[in-house]
Amino acid sequence: IVADMSSNFCSRPIDWNKYGVVYAGAQKNVGPCGLTFVIVREDLIGNAMSYTPSVCDWSQYVKSSIQIFNTPCIWSIYVSGLNLEYMAEKGIEKIEEESRQKSNLLYDYIDSTDGYYINTVDKSCRSRTNIPIRIKNDADLESKFIVEAEERDSLQLNG
């Protein structure tokens, strides 16, 4: 009933009837970090328990269009809005096709290196957004890669 769709939100068509609540961080497919999308099926609104914090009581957001429980990250909202306009013009089918092509290109390369680069995720479960790569399962070689990547301004690749 609840799904974290940060990795596939706005990257492919979604059957919304399968979900009651969807959370999605903007930072993977929509815009900068600091923004989270929460999509709640209508029949789940107004059923908060008495001890539910008001920020988690979705009916509070529905009742008042001016009620704000925290200071929103305006820049993230603005940039995400621009990107959503662009994505709407392009269409979700085209976005999905491009996402699949880009991730397949990278996975195909990783798989073609005869074990130099390794992705241990089963092919049926591979993400189009998060592509973990190991280098020969060699921690020293991976550390060297991270240092050299950072020297070329490719940051936060480890993890």
Side-chain angles (χ1 to χ4, degrees):
I1 192 167
V2 178
D4 174 357
M5 289 196 180
S6 297
S7 293
N8 54 8
F9 185 68
C10 292
S11 71
R12 65 180 74 175
I14 295 170
D15 180 359
W16 296 104
N17 294 317
K18 292 182 178 181
Y19 305 98
V21 179
V22 171
Y23 288 92
Q27 69 273 9
K28 292 189 180 178
N29 295 317
V30 180
C33 62
L35 179 65
T36 302
F37 294 89
V38 181
I39 301 167
V40 182
R41 199 174 62 215
E42 282 190 49
D43 64 307
L44 297 177
I45 296 173
N47 298 310
M49 297 180 177
S50 60
Y51 53 83
T52 301
S54 60
V55 72
C56 296
D57 180 357
W58 301 310
S59 68
Q60 298 298 314
Y61 298 92
V62 174
K63 288 178 189 173
S64 174
S65 62
I66 60 170
Q67 182 71 38
I68 298 176
F69 294 100
N70 61 0
T71 304
C73 183
I74 299 300
W75 186 78
S76 294
I77 293 169
Y78 174 73
V79 172
S80 294
L82 294 175
N83 196 38
L84 287 167
E85 287 177 10
Y86 167 78
M87 295 167 85
E89 288 175 18
K90 183 178 265 196
I92 196 68
E93 290 79 13
K94 181 70 173 168
I95 291 168
E96 178 182 31
E97 177 186 329
E98 290 174 352
S99 176
R100 183 178 290 121
Q101 288 173 350
K102 288 185 276 186
S103 62
N104 284 343
L105 184 67
L106 187 50
Y107 282 124
D108 290 347
Y109 178 76
I110 293 166
D111 294 341
S112 74
T113 64
D114 295 324
Y116 185 81
Y117 294 112
I118 301 167
N119 179 291
T120 59
V121 178
D122 184 272
K123 288 184 179 188
S124 66
C125 299
R126 288 180 169 178
S127 170
R128 293 186 207 146
T129 305
N130 301 312
I131 302 176
I133 302 171
R134 302 301 312 254
I135 303 174
K136 289 186 164 182
N137 280 328
D138 182 329
D140 292 334
L141 194 53
E142 288 180 6
S143 294
K144 181 180 177 187
F145 172 83
I146 295 299
V147 168
E148 291 181 9
E150 288 175 352
E151 289 171 357
R152 291 164 179 80
D153 295 325
S154 291
L155 306 175
Q156 299 180 356
L157 295 177
N158 59 334

